[in-house]
Amino acid sequence: APFWMRKLWDAPVFHSMVRARWTALRAGPFARDSIMAYIGGAEEVLREAEARDAAKWGNLGEYVWPNPTWPATWTGELHNLRTWLSSRLTWLDGELLSGVRTEGGVLPASRLAVDVYPNPSRGALVIEVARPSGSGVNVALFDVLGRRVSAPGTLRQDGDHAVFHFDAGAIPAGLYVVQVRTDAGQSIARPVVVRR
């Protein structure tokens, strides 16, 4: 990336504007449901071209660089597209929403392993944390303005893993940030979408 992109990204005002724009897009046209609905609509329109595509290229089920998989059917290709887009949205959420300001300040990047699922959630939310041995962990949920919404209710610990269960059905639909902080000072944030 050009040097000026890093300078822009390091500016708190620019970072906040990007975060705000991404949050707005994720609530509308970039919402997972919106994207999947668009693909579903295009699938019906393009279904007629499936036979012509197979006749012209005939490469279903064959490796095409740089694709990691090569399904043998058009439906399989659509499944791959949907899966890749869902993963990409999750990755972009993590990249663009990292550094969200909370009551405790900016959340720095770390090697702390955190999984949040299902994401999007309509009710039960599970937060799994792999942390350094012997380190306590604190989990909290914030809205995109950095206001603390709640802390998960139940905790199960198993060695270096902690599993938190949270009832997201009690909060309004929207984009939230799960903050995980260890006693050792490591912290990480993960975005989560709550739907109704």
Side-chain angles (χ1 to χ4, degrees):
F3 74 92
W4 49 264
M5 191 56 150
R6 175 52 53 196
K7 284 184 173 278
L8 271 176
W9 194 246
D10 287 342
V13 171
F14 179 78
H15 200 182
S16 293
M17 290 172 69
V18 169
R19 231 178 10 249
R21 178 66 174 145
W22 180 248
T23 299
L25 288 171
R26 287 288 277 138
F30 287 3
R32 185 185 181 284
D33 291 346
S34 296
I35 292 172
M36 296 307 150
Y38 178 82
I39 292 171
E43 178 180 359
E44 292 307 312
V45 171
L46 296 174
R47 174 76 60 188
E48 177 269 328
E50 179 183 359
R52 288 195 322 264
D53 180 74
K56 170 98 175 159
W57 301 107
N59 61 357
L60 284 177
E62 296 178 13
Y63 174 75
V64 176
W65 184 88
N67 298 328
T69 60
W70 43 95
T73 65
W74 194 65
T75 303
E77 287 285 356
L78 286 171
H79 174 74
N80 277 359
L81 175 65
R82 288 183 176 102
T83 301
W84 185 87
L85 282 172
S86 291
S87 297
R88 186 66 172 182
L89 287 170
T90 300
W91 180 82
L92 282 166
D93 286 343
E95 292 296 308
L96 296 177
L97 295 177
S98 66
V100 172
R101 296 190 180 277
T102 66
E103 293 167 347
V106 175
L107 303 172
S110 71
R111 297 286 181 197
L112 189 62
V114 176
D115 287 318
V116 179
Y117 59 89
N119 193 4
S121 175
R122 293 188 187 275
L125 183 65
V126 178
I127 303 159
E128 288 190 25
V129 182
R131 66 195 193 285
S133 184
S135 178
V137 65
N138 182 344
V139 176
L141 190 67
F142 294 87
D143 65 16
V144 292
L145 297 177
R147 297 177 297 211
R148 187 183 186 104
V149 174
S150 182
T154 60
L155 162 67
R156 179 178 54 88
Q157 292 192 4
D158 179 18
D160 295 343
H161 285 78
V163 180
F164 295 83
H165 295 271
F166 178 70
D167 180 14
I171 60 176
L175 184 62
Y176 294 87
V177 177
V178 173
Q179 175 194 16
V180 177
R181 191 179 300 262
T182 68
D183 293 342
Q186 289 181 303
S187 66
I188 197 167
R190 290 286 183 258
V192 63
V193 176
V194 174
R195 297 220 185 272
R196 294 288 164 256

